[in-house]
Amino acid sequence: METVMPVLSEAIRAKSLLRTNLESPSVFLRSRMPNIKVFSGTSHPDLAQRIVDRLGIDLGKVVTKKFSNLETCVEIGESVRGEDVYIVQSGSGEVNDNLMELLIMINACKIASASRVTAVIPCFPYARQDKKDKGHGEAGGKASDVRLPFQMKSNEWKFRSRAPISAKLVANMLSVAGADHIITMDLHASQIQGFFDIPVDNLYAEPAVLKWIRENIPEWRNSIIVSPDAGGAKRVTSIADRLNVEFALIHKERKKANEVAAMVLVGDVKDRIAILVDDMADTCGTICHAAEKLLEAGATKVYAILTHGIFSGPAISRINNACFEAVVVTNTIPQEQHMKDCPRIQCIDVSMMFAEAVRRTHNGESVSYLFSNVPY
């Protein structure tokens, strides 16, 4: 009898501990995730809060302020020595200020003896300036724009040869500041990952987009996935294959940045629901012109699904005046004000994907599961 009692007491203690963990999942998660700190910059505190809520931990204490000369000052409010630190900061709003704040936060944690610092950048800043073949201020040049010197006007070649590769510069700054790892989503150009000498996890919004299409478009089996430019062909073919529907693309020609000269539709959209898919929308001139083109070609309804809804300048008024059933974006960029100004804008929450990426990274697990699945 004496030898049985300790065994029974151990069983009761284990059962009591399990019951406590089930009743309070945050305690259970904390016990599985020691030595982790998540801090938020000022660009998107709501997303950072959603991430830590999903992880069952508290957001780290940090004070960010500006001096009278507008210099950024950051004070980390708790010890990070030996900790695995994650800093959530998106490239939106005041992009330059937010980027500088991120660099300072990374450096502050690094020199405070953090074990590893990971920058979680849902929308990577300066991603459109990823190559050198741009002329006359055009953002996002393409291979067909490249011409030989004798085919160009007198000064055009000089302008192109002096174009910066700003995405590479941002990559260098993040590395020099002390970042050990980058987590981002839907890079404008996937080769940006090669600008870094540190690991980069480029998550995809595609699984969340597929889930939204199946749940919110009843006639999705009669849809066609459309890319508003040739550069997004790979993205739309992947989604079309997963949905087992057809795809089309629109070839556009630009005269200068943010101004489309002509559009040619390649594919048949007659009597179908057209779903425009792109990685980002800034002034929305392209997708609004594309929507008009699709309706002219016989599409019954037009949806637009975008990962990064920047919506600068006249974007909101253009969407309000356009013929979209809905414009769907993720919350890699704050969308509360945009949704108030435009009732057509709907938002997909991707915080669970970033939270799972943080959890898997911290625990040394594979992140590739998230490339084709949405964690529930």
Side-chain angles (χ1 to χ4, degrees), residues 265 268-273 292-301:
L265 175 63
D268 182 17
V269 299
K270 188 172 176 58
D271 298 326
R272 294 184 181 178
I273 296 171
E292 292 172 11
K293 191 77 178 176
L294 291 168
L295 284 180
E296 289 171 10
T300 56
K301 295 178 182 178

Side-chain angles (χ1 to χ4, degrees), residues 284 287-288 304 306 309-329 335-347:
C284 291
I287 62 164
C288 289
L306 317 156
I310 300 171
F311 301 142
S312 63
I316 297 298
S317 62
R318 282 176 174 172
I319 294 172
N320 282 325
N321 296 326
C323 49
F324 294 108
E325 292 292 317
V327 175
V328 184
V329 293
Q335 299 295 343
E336 290 81 7
Q337 189 58 47
H338 295 151
M339 292 170 74
K340 288 178 184 176
D341 297 337
C342 180
R344 284 179 177 162
I345 295 176
Q346 299 181 30
C347 190

Side-chain angles (χ1 to χ4, degrees), residues 42-187:
T42 57
S43 69
H44 203 344
D46 177 64
L47 180 64
Q49 188 61 55
R50 287 171 182 264
I51 290 171
V52 295
D53 288 345
R54 172 86 180 188
L55 293 172
I57 60 178
D58 296 323
L59 204 57
K61 296 182 179 68
V62 60
V63 177
T64 306
K65 57 188 177 183
K66 288 186 183 296
F67 294 121
S68 58
N69 65 349
L70 300 183
E71 285 184 3
T72 300
C73 176
V74 173
E75 295 175 5
I76 306 298
E78 53 192 87
S79 173
V80 294
R81 184 178 295 276
E83 302 279 351
D84 190 8
V85 174
Y86 296 82
I87 301 171
V88 182
Q89 182 82 314
S90 195
S92 60
E94 297 290 339
V95 178
N96 297 328
D97 284 353
N98 291 336
L99 175 59
M100 197 66 207
E101 182 180 290
L102 173 61
L103 297 171
I104 294 172
M105 289 180 74
I106 291 170
N107 192 249
C109 292
K110 201 66 182 177
I111 63 177
S113 301
S115 174
R116 178 175 63 176
V117 179
T118 299
V120 181
I121 314 173
C123 180
F124 193 85
Y126 290 91
R128 284 178 285 182
Q129 299 183 42
D130 63 304
K131 48 187 174 293
K132 201 165 181 169
D133 58 350
K134 302 170 187 147
H136 299 298
E138 179 175 334
K142 49 187 181 294
S144 59
D145 292 332
V146 180
R147 288 178 283 160
L148 297 174
F150 61 81
Q151 293 174 310
M152 297 183 175
K153 295 175 184 176
S154 57
N155 290 323
E156 190 174 350
W157 179 257
K158 294 178 183 177
F159 295 149
R160 287 179 180 246
S161 66
R162 290 175 186 162
I165 306 177
S166 304
K168 170 66 174 171
L169 176 62
V170 172
N172 288 341
M173 289 194 295
L174 288 166
S175 298
V176 170
D180 300 296
H181 182 207
I182 305 292
I183 299 175
T184 186
M185 177 171 277
D186 273 8
L187 283 171

